[in-house]
Amino acid sequence: MSSKILCEIFNQKEIICIYNIYKNEDDLEKIEKCIHMVAEFFLEHNIQNKIKTSLWFHTSNPILADFTPSHFILLGKVNKVFSFISSQLN
């Protein structure tokens, strides 16, 4: 897992929490995959902005019970975020 990718989306406190919650490398890679999927979506729509990707992860989403995707990740629910992103992109 590239900590550089995490630093582009999450603040230092969130990154510490992520590494405390996710001890499994597969889960950390899934977070990275979530970031890439959202970034690729914006890139396909000519929005090449890391800030937009970060904003998406930190904006309340009604489909996620008005929680932010980053909040779900910090609650240990990366699989739910991954499933949500996958379903929205299909």
Side-chain angles (χ1 to χ4, degrees):
M1 169 104 187
S2 171
S3 60
K4 180 181 177 192
I5 292 170
L6 283 178
C7 291
E8 293 175 355
I9 304 301
F10 300 100
N11 65 41
Q12 185 178 4
K13 186 176 178 181
E14 292 169 328
I15 293 169
I16 292 168
C17 289
I18 287 169
Y19 278 104
N20 285 332
I21 294 167
Y22 299 102
K23 305 293 185 189
N24 183 333
E25 187 67 28
D26 291 338
D27 290 333
L28 293 170
E29 287 177 6
K30 194 167 276 188
I31 295 169
E32 184 175 325
K33 179 70 174 164
C34 288
I35 294 168
H36 281 293
M37 288 190 302
V38 172
E40 286 176 15
F41 171 81
F42 289 129
L43 185 60
E44 289 173 8
H45 292 85
N46 295 322
I47 304 169
Q48 301 177 9
N49 194 334
K50 295 175 190 174
I51 294 171
K52 186 71 172 177
T53 301
S54 179
L55 183 63
W56 184 87
F57 276 94
H58 292 90
T59 300
S60 297
N61 191 309
I63 298 174
L64 298 174
D66 284 328
F67 285 98
T68 67
S70 63
H71 194 155
F72 261 61
I73 289 170
L74 294 171
L75 289 172
K77 298 182 179 187
V78 68
N79 290 327
K80 177 131 179 119
V81 175
F82 183 83
S83 296
F84 168 69
I85 293 169
S86 297
S87 70
Q88 295 301 305
L89 294 178
N90 290 331

